[in-house]
Amino acid sequence: METKTDLKEETKTETAKTVKGSEAVILSLLHEGVDTIFGYPGGAIMPIYDALYDYQDKIEHILVRHEQGATHMAQGYAKTSDKPGIVFATSGPGSTNLITGLSNAKIDSIPMICITGQVPSHLLGFDAFQETDVVGISMPVTKWNYQVTKAAEIPEVMAKAFYIASSGRPGPVLIDITKDAQNQFIDFTYKRVHQVSGYFPNPKTNPEKIREAANLINNAKKPLLLAGHGISIAGAEEELTAFVNKTGIPVGCTLLGLSTFPTRHPLYAGMLGMHGNYAPNIQTNEADLIIAIGMRFDDRVTGDTSRYAIKAKVIHIDIDQAEIDKNIKADVAIISDAKKALQQLIPMVKTNVHDEWLEEFKKLEAIEFEKIIQKDIHPKAGQIKMAEVIHQVSERTKGEAIVVTDVGQHQMMAARYYQFAHTKSMITSGGLGTMGFGVPAAFGAAMGQDKRPVVVFVGDGGIQMTIQELATIWQHKRPVKIVLLNNGFLGMVRQWQQLFHERRYSFTTLVNPDFQMIAKGNGIESSKINTRDELKNSIDKMFNFDGPYLLEVEVEQEDNVFPMVPSGASVSDIILEP
Amino acid sequence: MEKEFTLLVNTENNIGLLNHLSIVFTRRKLNIESLTVSESKIKGIYSFTIVIKTRRDVIDRVAKQLENIIGVIKVFVYENDEIIHQELAMYKLPISAIEKGLQIESVVRTHNARVLNIENDYILIEKTGHKADTQKLMEELKPYGILQFIRTGRVAMAKPMKDLEIHIREKNAAYEILED
Ligand SMILES: Cc1ncc(C[n+]2csc(CCOP(=O)(O)OP(=O)(O)O)c2C)c(N)n1
């Protein structure tokens, strides 16, 4: 129902402008520096779209093909632009289509603001057409959510949304705005928010704890540093490198911590966890000190926690107090932003080298190289392997690309074999493992910056989950390079079936459509290869092409990702072969 | 080992907060034994008293997760010997209970209860105390035909109670405000 203006008679401040709630939403976004929105219209959000019509010169709206795609794009965008990703969706089905992306952003700490339209407030609770309690549904998967029923609330709620999404441990926020609130008039003024009662995002770094940590670090003989996503969120990559160069401590990265530390650095020990590298997993149980920064000891990293870091004292640095002692007990806990903690630690730690300790890493690396890596990236015969495709792309881009992945074997291969030379270069769905994330996130990453190439590795399963976004990519002509690693299987599940279910391939064989025709139908330049000889040239061709491109590589069907920490095993029981 | 814990959760008065709190418990399949909410001595700040049976390590993690909810200011975890706690119970009995031999005066005296109301057809008795005490009175009254029984959740205070305002000040001091 349209309400009449509820303009107050009181005198307006100079900056106040009388606008509808819908326009207030757009103005709030402009105040926060938003220039890109990923969205999809519908009945309950039509007033906001109507307001947006007049601001097309200031804001680029990307019309996605499914709202889930918008959430993944917004996350890719957030990662490369360093701004929260913005999503518009209508009520009911529009809003429920956001849930997967919200969950992903929550667990991976990505700032995103979803604005949903809602039925008029007088119909709330009446099962009106396209009414869904999206505030109720999204509560467990948002950092904050709020339903606006009065236009007057819009500026402050929007300012809070931006502050909450971006501060502390970032995360997704959902603001649900009833249609009548969108249509009411208000006097618009905007003030950015830097404080919300009952919200404590910025812990002060405790100098006492820093001293305790420095003491442990200075006395450790076998220290190992675990670098997580918190490093890149805090922008602490330089501090990390400075700390490591000074202390001589080897660094293992979590999946989301990849690219916070250069892969080719002599102190880089590799990726941690289930499909990580041999050395850092084995050495976790040899170390006498674990320094975990901006990571949460996810079960994919720790394996069996009762047999994790068995000889080590643990220093845990995290901005989120709830992560301390959640999975692994800390001997010294520093609740802090990673950058601040490292800045304070650096002057207090001694310059050091750990030659003997590093020697042990070298030996383990040599074993992994001989048993796995060499065969993965330089196979002599047989079909193309995923790993060699990643390796070649890494060489071709000199480690400078922004790498996006979907979820599965190819994701782990990309994580293992792309040699990151540049910070903030890995965009992947870590905590949730969301198939369908890759292609839209890559498009978002390309929207968020245009200086570096964006390449996405995706499986033949995952690409079909959000394949409709190829049309969005084509429409907006962003030069996303899509490398489809087609093995004809839901590969990662098939691998588990092979290893743990006696090869009973229950519904993991894919009968695929013709991806070349799909690419063509969506206006995307593409090619398909199945021999090693064609690989290098086709990768060159893809990167030389000015625009989006899909390279489909038929890869070995029953290839496996190794090493592997079998689920429930200890990290040091990592296996190199079945 | 499972134990009874009492959480005192101090919060802003935000819509949906109860829902948010309860999600933290349901995610871990923790059953809320009792829950009471009231405004604290500070206007606009509410105190939830929540009783949960679980392990110490679990409740400590839960408390931290509760503190992460926007609008939650401070969470305290207490074991039973650290608090004074009370519940209030009301019992409605038919007036015929007196004919059946209910000695109201002795009930009131021995149980520290009181009569709230006597009408033509019923008697209302009230008692505050621990759950075991109010339960005991119920057992005693049962033979007279209880028409209705109701008990509130627990309210609790920590024994050496530090001023909530000091707690809040200390919490604020551990955090800073950053203008970007
Ligand atoms: C939305 C969703 N559904 C199911 C899964 C479980 N899952 C994890 S990996 C995987 C197989 C992925 O297959 P594909 O995309 O072909 O990649 P590959 O492993 O072959 O590289 C599946 C089904 C998931 N992670 N996400």
mmCIF file of all heavy atoms in Angstrom, chain A residues 139-140 143-144 164 192 194-195 197-200 202-204 320-322 324-326 340, chain B residues 12 16 19-20 61 64 68-72 171-180:
data_model
loop_
_atom_site.group_PDB
_atom_site.id
_atom_site.type_symbol
_atom_site.label_atom_id
_atom_site.label_comp_id
_atom_site.label_asym_id
_atom_site.label_seq_id
_atom_site.Cartn_x
_atom_site.Cartn_y
_atom_site.Cartn_z
ATOM 1 N N MET A 139 19.276 -15.267 9.851
ATOM 2 C CA MET A 139 19.947 -14.907 11.105
ATOM 3 C C MET A 139 21.216 -15.724 11.386
ATOM 4 O O MET A 139 22.245 -15.155 11.731
ATOM 5 C CB MET A 139 18.952 -15.019 12.262
ATOM 6 C CG MET A 139 19.420 -14.292 13.502
ATOM 7 S SD MET A 139 18.146 -14.253 14.752
ATOM 8 C CE MET A 139 17.241 -12.798 14.293
ATOM 9 N N PRO A 140 21.164 -17.059 11.229
ATOM 10 C CA PRO A 140 22.390 -17.800 11.540
ATOM 11 C C PRO A 140 23.510 -17.603 10.527
ATOM 12 O O PRO A 140 24.637 -17.990 10.791
ATOM 13 C CB PRO A 140 21.940 -19.274 11.521
ATOM 14 C CG PRO A 140 20.470 -19.260 11.349
ATOM 15 C CD PRO A 140 20.062 -17.926 10.838
ATOM 16 N N LYS A 143 26.185 -11.719 9.755
ATOM 17 C CA LYS A 143 26.828 -11.105 10.919
ATOM 18 C C LYS A 143 25.811 -10.220 11.618
ATOM 19 O O LYS A 143 25.787 -10.093 12.835
ATOM 20 C CB LYS A 143 28.039 -10.298 10.441
ATOM 21 C CG LYS A 143 28.871 -9.717 11.567
ATOM 22 C CD LYS A 143 30.144 -9.089 11.023
ATOM 23 C CE LYS A 143 30.882 -8.332 12.122
ATOM 24 N NZ LYS A 143 32.014 -7.569 11.598
ATOM 25 N N TRP A 144 24.954 -9.618 10.827
ATOM 26 C CA TRP A 144 23.873 -8.789 11.364
ATOM 27 C C TRP A 144 22.767 -8.733 10.327
ATOM 28 O O TRP A 144 23.044 -8.770 9.123
ATOM 29 C CB TRP A 144 24.390 -7.361 11.622
ATOM 30 C CG TRP A 144 23.403 -6.442 12.283
ATOM 31 C CD1 TRP A 144 22.800 -6.615 13.495
ATOM 32 C CD2 TRP A 144 22.899 -5.199 11.768
ATOM 33 N NE1 TRP A 144 21.973 -5.557 13.767
ATOM 34 C CE2 TRP A 144 22.013 -4.674 12.730
ATOM 35 C CE3 TRP A 144 23.118 -4.475 10.583
ATOM 36 C CZ2 TRP A 144 21.335 -3.452 12.552
ATOM 37 C CZ3 TRP A 144 22.448 -3.269 10.406
ATOM 38 C CH2 TRP A 144 21.569 -2.761 11.386
ATOM 39 N N ILE A 164 29.303 -2.555 10.154
ATOM 40 C CA ILE A 164 29.356 -3.916 10.699
ATOM 41 C C ILE A 164 29.959 -4.897 9.688
ATOM 42 O O ILE A 164 30.787 -5.736 10.038
ATOM 43 C CB ILE A 164 27.952 -4.361 11.172
ATOM 44 C CG1 ILE A 164 27.567 -3.554 12.413
ATOM 45 C CG2 ILE A 164 27.919 -5.860 11.451
ATOM 46 C CD1 ILE A 164 26.120 -3.744 12.872
ATOM 47 N N ARG A 192 28.142 8.657 8.526
ATOM 48 C CA ARG A 192 28.773 7.334 8.631
ATOM 49 C C ARG A 192 28.876 6.932 10.097
ATOM 50 O O ARG A 192 28.955 7.773 10.980
ATOM 51 C CB ARG A 192 30.156 7.342 7.973
ATOM 52 C CG ARG A 192 30.047 7.639 6.474
ATOM 53 C CD ARG A 192 31.328 7.323 5.758
ATOM 54 N NE ARG A 192 31.595 5.887 5.833
ATOM 55 C CZ ARG A 192 32.734 5.332 5.449
ATOM 56 N NH1 ARG A 192 33.698 6.074 4.982
ATOM 57 N NH2 ARG A 192 32.907 4.028 5.529
ATOM 58 N N HIS A 194 30.730 4.737 13.199
ATOM 59 C CA HIS A 194 31.985 4.107 13.620
ATOM 60 C C HIS A 194 31.844 3.424 14.962
ATOM 61 O O HIS A 194 32.825 3.090 15.613
ATOM 62 C CB HIS A 194 33.107 5.145 13.693
ATOM 63 C CG HIS A 194 33.373 5.794 12.378
ATOM 64 N ND1 HIS A 194 33.999 5.141 11.344
ATOM 65 C CD2 HIS A 194 33.048 7.012 11.904
ATOM 66 C CE1 HIS A 194 34.072 5.940 10.293
ATOM 67 N NE2 HIS A 194 33.490 7.081 10.610
ATOM 68 N N GLN A 195 30.610 3.267 15.398
ATOM 69 C CA GLN A 195 30.369 2.672 16.696
ATOM 70 C C GLN A 195 28.934 2.147 16.728
ATOM 71 O O GLN A 195 28.021 2.853 16.301
ATOM 72 C CB GLN A 195 30.532 3.759 17.761
ATOM 73 C CG GLN A 195 30.991 3.241 19.070
ATOM 74 C CD GLN A 195 31.119 4.346 20.106
ATOM 75 O OE1 GLN A 195 31.102 5.528 19.783
ATOM 76 N NE2 GLN A 195 31.234 3.950 21.345
ATOM 77 N N SER A 197 26.367 0.105 19.534
ATOM 78 C CA SER A 197 26.360 -0.398 20.905
ATOM 79 C C SER A 197 26.185 -1.920 20.922
ATOM 80 O O SER A 197 25.428 -2.479 20.129
ATOM 81 C CB SER A 197 25.275 0.290 21.719
ATOM 82 O OG SER A 197 24.056 0.172 21.061
ATOM 83 N N GLY A 198 26.909 -2.552 21.804
ATOM 84 C CA GLY A 198 26.850 -4.007 21.882
ATOM 85 C C GLY A 198 27.646 -4.688 20.785
ATOM 86 O O GLY A 198 27.446 -5.864 20.514
ATOM 87 N N TYR A 199 28.569 -3.951 20.153
ATOM 88 C CA TYR A 199 29.394 -4.522 19.093
ATOM 89 C C TYR A 199 30.830 -4.092 19.338
ATOM 90 O O TYR A 199 31.114 -2.898 19.462
ATOM 91 C CB TYR A 199 28.889 -4.023 17.738
ATOM 92 C CG TYR A 199 29.748 -4.407 16.552
ATOM 93 C CD1 TYR A 199 30.129 -5.723 16.339
ATOM 94 C CD2 TYR A 199 30.148 -3.444 15.631
ATOM 95 C CE1 TYR A 199 30.903 -6.074 15.243
ATOM 96 C CE2 TYR A 199 30.919 -3.778 14.529
ATOM 97 C CZ TYR A 199 31.295 -5.096 14.345
ATOM 98 O OH TYR A 199 32.055 -5.424 13.251
ATOM 99 N N PHE A 200 31.722 -5.058 19.441
ATOM 100 C CA PHE A 200 33.101 -4.784 19.859
ATOM 101 C C PHE A 200 34.088 -5.332 18.833
ATOM 102 O O PHE A 200 34.674 -6.393 19.034
ATOM 103 C CB PHE A 200 33.358 -5.419 21.236
ATOM 104 C CG PHE A 200 32.376 -4.973 22.292
ATOM 105 C CD1 PHE A 200 31.180 -5.662 22.486
ATOM 106 C CD2 PHE A 200 32.644 -3.862 23.076
ATOM 107 C CE1 PHE A 200 30.267 -5.248 23.446
ATOM 108 C CE2 PHE A 200 31.739 -3.453 24.046
ATOM 109 C CZ PHE A 200 30.536 -4.142 24.229
ATOM 110 N N ASN A 202 37.008 -4.009 17.536
ATOM 111 C CA ASN A 202 38.436 -3.666 17.505
ATOM 112 C C ASN A 202 39.134 -3.874 18.841
ATOM 113 O O ASN A 202 39.317 -2.934 19.611
ATOM 114 C CB ASN A 202 38.611 -2.194 17.090
ATOM 115 C CG ASN A 202 37.902 -1.895 15.795
ATOM 116 O OD1 ASN A 202 38.042 -2.618 14.821
ATOM 117 N ND2 ASN A 202 37.107 -0.834 15.785
ATOM 118 N N PRO A 203 39.555 -5.077 19.132
ATOM 119 C CA PRO A 203 40.242 -5.316 20.397
ATOM 120 C C PRO A 203 41.577 -4.577 20.446
ATOM 121 O O PRO A 203 42.274 -4.485 19.442
ATOM 122 C CB PRO A 203 40.473 -6.834 20.398
ATOM 123 C CG PRO A 203 40.387 -7.242 18.967
ATOM 124 C CD PRO A 203 39.453 -6.291 18.310
ATOM 125 N N LYS A 204 41.909 -4.051 21.619
ATOM 126 C CA LYS A 204 43.238 -3.464 21.804
ATOM 127 C C LYS A 204 44.227 -4.606 21.977
ATOM 128 O O LYS A 204 43.954 -5.557 22.704
ATOM 129 C CB LYS A 204 43.255 -2.588 23.056
ATOM 130 C CG LYS A 204 42.517 -1.284 22.896
ATOM 131 C CD LYS A 204 42.639 -0.444 24.160
ATOM 132 C CE LYS A 204 41.737 0.781 24.070
ATOM 133 N NZ LYS A 204 41.460 1.375 25.378
ATOM 134 N N ASP A 320 38.991 -12.383 16.514
ATOM 135 C CA ASP A 320 37.714 -12.867 17.044
ATOM 136 C C ASP A 320 37.946 -13.661 18.333
ATOM 137 O O ASP A 320 38.485 -14.771 18.296
ATOM 138 C CB ASP A 320 37.038 -13.735 15.979
ATOM 139 C CG ASP A 320 35.691 -14.267 16.433
ATOM 140 O OD1 ASP A 320 35.307 -14.026 17.597
ATOM 141 O OD2 ASP A 320 35.020 -14.929 15.619
ATOM 142 N N GLN A 321 37.513 -13.092 19.455
ATOM 143 C CA GLN A 321 37.739 -13.751 20.748
ATOM 144 C C GLN A 321 37.109 -15.148 20.810
ATOM 145 O O GLN A 321 37.594 -16.014 21.538
ATOM 146 C CB GLN A 321 37.220 -12.869 21.891
ATOM 147 C CG GLN A 321 35.786 -12.350 21.750
ATOM 148 C CD GLN A 321 34.722 -13.309 22.302
ATOM 149 O OE1 GLN A 321 34.992 -14.050 23.224
ATOM 150 N NE2 GLN A 321 33.528 -13.284 21.718
ATOM 151 N N ALA A 322 36.072 -15.378 20.022
ATOM 152 C CA ALA A 322 35.402 -16.683 20.069
ATOM 153 C C ALA A 322 36.236 -17.776 19.391
ATOM 154 O O ALA A 322 35.949 -18.959 19.552
ATOM 155 C CB ALA A 322 34.017 -16.602 19.431
ATOM 156 N N ILE A 324 39.438 -18.149 20.002
ATOM 157 C CA ILE A 324 40.472 -18.565 20.948
ATOM 158 C C ILE A 324 39.980 -19.779 21.741
ATOM 159 O O ILE A 324 38.880 -19.768 22.292
ATOM 160 C CB ILE A 324 40.830 -17.404 21.920
ATOM 161 C CG1 ILE A 324 41.225 -16.139 21.146
ATOM 162 C CG2 ILE A 324 41.905 -17.835 22.914
ATOM 163 C CD1 ILE A 324 42.468 -16.244 20.293
ATOM 164 N N ASP A 325 40.792 -20.804 21.764
ATOM 165 C CA ASP A 325 40.483 -22.058 22.478
ATOM 166 C C ASP A 325 39.256 -22.784 21.928
ATOM 167 O O ASP A 325 38.718 -23.669 22.579
ATOM 168 C CB ASP A 325 40.254 -21.806 23.983
ATOM 169 C CG ASP A 325 41.515 -21.328 24.684
ATOM 170 O OD1 ASP A 325 42.614 -21.513 24.124
ATOM 171 O OD2 ASP A 325 41.400 -20.778 25.801
ATOM 172 N N LYS A 326 38.769 -22.403 20.757
ATOM 173 C CA LYS A 326 37.595 -23.088 20.206
ATOM 174 C C LYS A 326 37.980 -24.490 19.750
ATOM 175 O O LYS A 326 37.357 -25.465 20.160
ATOM 176 C CB LYS A 326 36.988 -22.301 19.046
ATOM 177 C CG LYS A 326 35.664 -22.886 18.558
ATOM 178 C CD LYS A 326 35.071 -22.087 17.412
ATOM 179 C CE LYS A 326 35.644 -22.531 16.082
ATOM 180 N NZ LYS A 326 35.050 -21.813 14.942
ATOM 181 N N LYS A 340 48.293 -5.244 13.613
ATOM 182 C CA LYS A 340 48.739 -4.590 14.853
ATOM 183 C C LYS A 340 49.617 -5.535 15.668
ATOM 184 O O LYS A 340 50.647 -5.132 16.202
ATOM 185 C CB LYS A 340 47.529 -4.150 15.688
ATOM 186 C CG LYS A 340 46.900 -2.869 15.162
ATOM 187 C CD LYS A 340 46.014 -2.245 16.223
ATOM 188 C CE LYS A 340 44.594 -2.677 16.026
ATOM 189 N NZ LYS A 340 43.695 -2.300 17.101
ATOM 190 N N GLU B 12 21.795 -5.294 24.870
ATOM 191 C CA GLU B 12 20.973 -4.168 24.442
ATOM 192 C C GLU B 12 19.559 -4.705 24.221
ATOM 193 O O GLU B 12 19.349 -5.909 24.103
ATOM 194 C CB GLU B 12 21.483 -3.622 23.105
ATOM 195 C CG GLU B 12 22.916 -3.166 23.106
ATOM 196 C CD GLU B 12 23.093 -1.816 23.754
ATOM 197 O OE1 GLU B 12 22.130 -1.026 23.739
ATOM 198 O OE2 GLU B 12 24.185 -1.561 24.284
ATOM 199 N N GLY B 16 14.802 -9.457 18.077
ATOM 200 C CA GLY B 16 15.417 -10.639 17.478
ATOM 201 C C GLY B 16 16.589 -11.191 18.268
ATOM 202 O O GLY B 16 17.131 -12.225 17.924
ATOM 203 N N ASN B 19 16.104 -14.672 19.655
ATOM 204 C CA ASN B 19 16.225 -15.638 18.569
ATOM 205 C C ASN B 19 17.702 -15.946 18.306
ATOM 206 O O ASN B 19 18.111 -17.099 18.175
ATOM 207 C CB ASN B 19 15.582 -15.014 17.324
ATOM 208 C CG ASN B 19 15.175 -16.052 16.301
ATOM 209 O OD1 ASN B 19 15.515 -17.217 16.428
ATOM 210 N ND2 ASN B 19 14.470 -15.614 15.279
ATOM 211 N N HIS B 20 18.483 -14.885 18.276
ATOM 212 C CA HIS B 20 19.908 -15.030 18.022
ATOM 213 C C HIS B 20 20.593 -15.853 19.107
ATOM 214 O O HIS B 20 21.402 -16.736 18.822
ATOM 215 C CB HIS B 20 20.545 -13.637 17.966
ATOM 216 C CG HIS B 20 21.367 -13.435 16.743
ATOM 217 N ND1 HIS B 20 21.376 -12.263 16.040
ATOM 218 C CD2 HIS B 20 22.199 -14.266 16.102
ATOM 219 C CE1 HIS B 20 22.193 -12.396 15.011
ATOM 220 N NE2 HIS B 20 22.707 -13.590 15.027
ATOM 221 N N ARG B 61 32.806 -22.065 25.410
ATOM 222 C CA ARG B 61 32.769 -21.720 23.984
ATOM 223 C C ARG B 61 31.462 -21.018 23.629
ATOM 224 O O ARG B 61 31.447 -20.054 22.871
ATOM 225 C CB ARG B 61 32.922 -22.981 23.137
ATOM 226 C CG ARG B 61 34.370 -23.208 22.771
ATOM 227 C CD ARG B 61 34.510 -24.459 21.956
ATOM 228 N NE ARG B 61 35.305 -25.407 22.721
ATOM 229 C CZ ARG B 61 35.162 -26.721 22.673
ATOM 230 N NH1 ARG B 61 34.242 -27.265 21.913
ATOM 231 N NH2 ARG B 61 35.928 -27.486 23.387
ATOM 232 N N LYS B 64 31.483 -17.399 24.616
ATOM 233 C CA LYS B 64 32.215 -16.538 23.689
ATOM 234 C C LYS B 64 31.405 -16.271 22.436
ATOM 235 O O LYS B 64 31.434 -15.164 21.887
ATOM 236 C CB LYS B 64 33.536 -17.198 23.301
ATOM 237 C CG LYS B 64 34.566 -17.180 24.417
ATOM 238 C CD LYS B 64 35.822 -17.856 23.931
ATOM 239 C CE LYS B 64 36.842 -17.952 25.042
ATOM 240 N NZ LYS B 64 38.012 -18.719 24.612
ATOM 241 N N ASN B 68 29.728 -12.622 20.779
ATOM 242 C CA ASN B 68 29.932 -12.112 19.424
ATOM 243 C C ASN B 68 28.657 -11.586 18.783
ATOM 244 O O ASN B 68 28.716 -10.903 17.772
ATOM 245 C CB ASN B 68 30.508 -13.220 18.532
ATOM 246 C CG ASN B 68 32.019 -13.161 18.483
ATOM 247 O OD1 ASN B 68 32.638 -12.410 19.213
ATOM 248 N ND2 ASN B 68 32.607 -13.949 17.614
ATOM 249 N N ILE B 69 27.520 -11.911 19.361
ATOM 250 C CA ILE B 69 26.268 -11.430 18.778
ATOM 251 C C ILE B 69 26.184 -9.923 18.982
ATOM 252 O O ILE B 69 26.454 -9.425 20.076
ATOM 253 C CB ILE B 69 25.063 -12.125 19.446
ATOM 254 C CG1 ILE B 69 25.103 -13.622 19.158
ATOM 255 C CG2 ILE B 69 23.748 -11.515 18.965
ATOM 256 C CD1 ILE B 69 24.117 -14.417 19.985
ATOM 257 N N ILE B 70 25.834 -9.234 17.910
ATOM 258 C CA ILE B 70 25.759 -7.782 18.011
ATOM 259 C C ILE B 70 24.589 -7.418 18.916
ATOM 260 O O ILE B 70 23.456 -7.845 18.681
ATOM 261 C CB ILE B 70 25.654 -7.157 16.618
ATOM 262 C CG1 ILE B 70 26.992 -7.377 15.909
ATOM 263 C CG2 ILE B 70 25.318 -5.666 16.703
ATOM 264 C CD1 ILE B 70 26.995 -7.077 14.464
ATOM 265 N N GLY B 71 24.852 -6.680 19.976
ATOM 266 C CA GLY B 71 23.834 -6.346 20.969
ATOM 267 C C GLY B 71 24.100 -7.021 22.300
ATOM 268 O O GLY B 71 23.540 -6.631 23.313
ATOM 269 N N VAL B 72 24.973 -8.029 22.291
ATOM 270 C CA VAL B 72 25.346 -8.661 23.559
ATOM 271 C C VAL B 72 26.560 -7.929 24.122
ATOM 272 O O VAL B 72 27.554 -7.736 23.428
ATOM 273 C CB VAL B 72 25.670 -10.160 23.378
ATOM 274 C CG1 VAL B 72 26.238 -10.753 24.669
ATOM 275 C CG2 VAL B 72 24.418 -10.906 22.956
ATOM 276 N N LYS B 171 35.079 -3.782 29.810
ATOM 277 C CA LYS B 171 34.954 -4.352 28.466
ATOM 278 C C LYS B 171 35.239 -3.279 27.420
ATOM 279 O O LYS B 171 36.002 -3.497 26.477
ATOM 280 C CB LYS B 171 33.558 -4.935 28.282
ATOM 281 C CG LYS B 171 33.236 -5.307 26.846
ATOM 282 C CD LYS B 171 33.011 -6.782 26.668
ATOM 283 C CE LYS B 171 32.906 -7.139 25.202
ATOM 284 N NZ LYS B 171 31.997 -8.214 24.942
ATOM 285 N N ASN B 172 34.629 -2.129 27.585
ATOM 286 C CA ASN B 172 34.852 -1.045 26.622
ATOM 287 C C ASN B 172 36.326 -0.667 26.548
ATOM 288 O O ASN B 172 36.838 -0.345 25.474
ATOM 289 C CB ASN B 172 34.014 0.179 26.988
ATOM 290 C CG ASN B 172 32.575 -0.004 26.543
ATOM 291 O OD1 ASN B 172 32.302 -0.561 25.476
ATOM 292 N ND2 ASN B 172 31.626 0.440 27.358
ATOM 293 N N ALA B 173 37.002 -0.737 27.706
ATOM 294 C CA ALA B 173 38.414 -0.337 27.741
ATOM 295 C C ALA B 173 39.294 -1.310 26.961
ATOM 296 O O ALA B 173 40.382 -0.957 26.518
ATOM 297 C CB ALA B 173 38.886 -0.234 29.178
ATOM 298 N N ALA B 174 38.818 -2.533 26.783
ATOM 299 C CA ALA B 174 39.622 -3.529 26.065
ATOM 300 C C ALA B 174 39.492 -3.374 24.547
ATOM 301 O O ALA B 174 40.160 -4.048 23.781
ATOM 302 C CB ALA B 174 39.216 -4.931 26.492
ATOM 303 N N TYR B 175 38.600 -2.485 24.128
ATOM 304 C CA TYR B 175 38.361 -2.296 22.693
ATOM 305 C C TYR B 175 38.546 -0.832 22.345
ATOM 306 O O TYR B 175 38.470 0.039 23.196
ATOM 307 C CB TYR B 175 36.946 -2.756 22.330
ATOM 308 C CG TYR B 175 36.800 -4.242 22.418
ATOM 309 C CD1 TYR B 175 36.557 -4.860 23.638
ATOM 310 C CD2 TYR B 175 36.950 -5.041 21.292
ATOM 311 C CE1 TYR B 175 36.465 -6.252 23.740
ATOM 312 C CE2 TYR B 175 36.853 -6.429 21.381
ATOM 313 C CZ TYR B 175 36.608 -7.018 22.603
ATOM 314 O OH TYR B 175 36.521 -8.384 22.682
ATOM 315 N N GLU B 176 38.799 -0.599 21.069
ATOM 316 C CA GLU B 176 38.938 0.801 20.676
ATOM 317 C C GLU B 176 37.988 1.142 19.534
ATOM 318 O O GLU B 176 37.444 0.270 18.875
ATOM 319 C CB GLU B 176 40.391 1.114 20.295
ATOM 320 C CG GLU B 176 40.955 0.216 19.217
ATOM 321 C CD GLU B 176 42.479 0.303 19.171
ATOM 322 O OE1 GLU B 176 43.018 1.323 19.601
ATOM 323 O OE2 GLU B 176 43.109 -0.648 18.688
ATOM 324 N N ILE B 177 37.816 2.431 19.354
ATOM 325 C CA ILE B 177 36.958 2.906 18.264
ATOM 326 C C ILE B 177 37.871 3.430 17.175
ATOM 327 O O ILE B 177 38.751 4.251 17.435
ATOM 328 C CB ILE B 177 36.011 4.004 18.759
ATOM 329 C CG1 ILE B 177 35.066 3.418 19.812
ATOM 330 C CG2 ILE B 177 35.223 4.602 17.602
ATOM 331 C CD1 ILE B 177 34.414 4.462 20.680
ATOM 332 N N LEU B 178 37.700 2.919 15.982
ATOM 333 C CA LEU B 178 38.558 3.352 14.882
ATOM 334 C C LEU B 178 37.725 4.124 13.870
ATOM 335 O O LEU B 178 36.722 3.624 13.385
ATOM 336 C CB LEU B 178 39.200 2.145 14.199
ATOM 337 C CG LEU B 178 40.063 1.230 15.066
ATOM 338 C CD1 LEU B 178 40.518 0.018 14.263
ATOM 339 C CD2 LEU B 178 41.269 1.979 15.598
ATOM 340 N N GLU B 179 38.135 5.329 13.576
ATOM 341 C CA GLU B 179 37.529 6.052 12.458
ATOM 342 C C GLU B 179 38.369 5.652 11.260
ATOM 343 O O GLU B 179 39.588 5.666 11.343
ATOM 344 C CB GLU B 179 37.640 7.567 12.671
ATOM 345 C CG GLU B 179 37.133 8.045 14.016
ATOM 346 C CD GLU B 179 35.672 8.477 13.980
ATOM 347 O OE1 GLU B 179 35.251 8.992 12.935
ATOM 348 O OE2 GLU B 179 34.981 8.286 14.983
ATOM 349 N N ASP B 180 37.750 5.275 10.171
ATOM 350 C CA ASP B 180 38.576 4.803 9.038
ATOM 351 C C ASP B 180 39.307 5.956 8.388
ATOM 352 O O ASP B 180 40.400 6.266 8.429
ATOM 353 C CB ASP B 180 37.737 4.120 7.980
ATOM 354 C CG ASP B 180 36.448 4.844 7.708
ATOM 355 O OD1 ASP B 180 36.330 6.008 8.135
ATOM 356 O OD2 ASP B 180 35.563 4.267 7.103
#
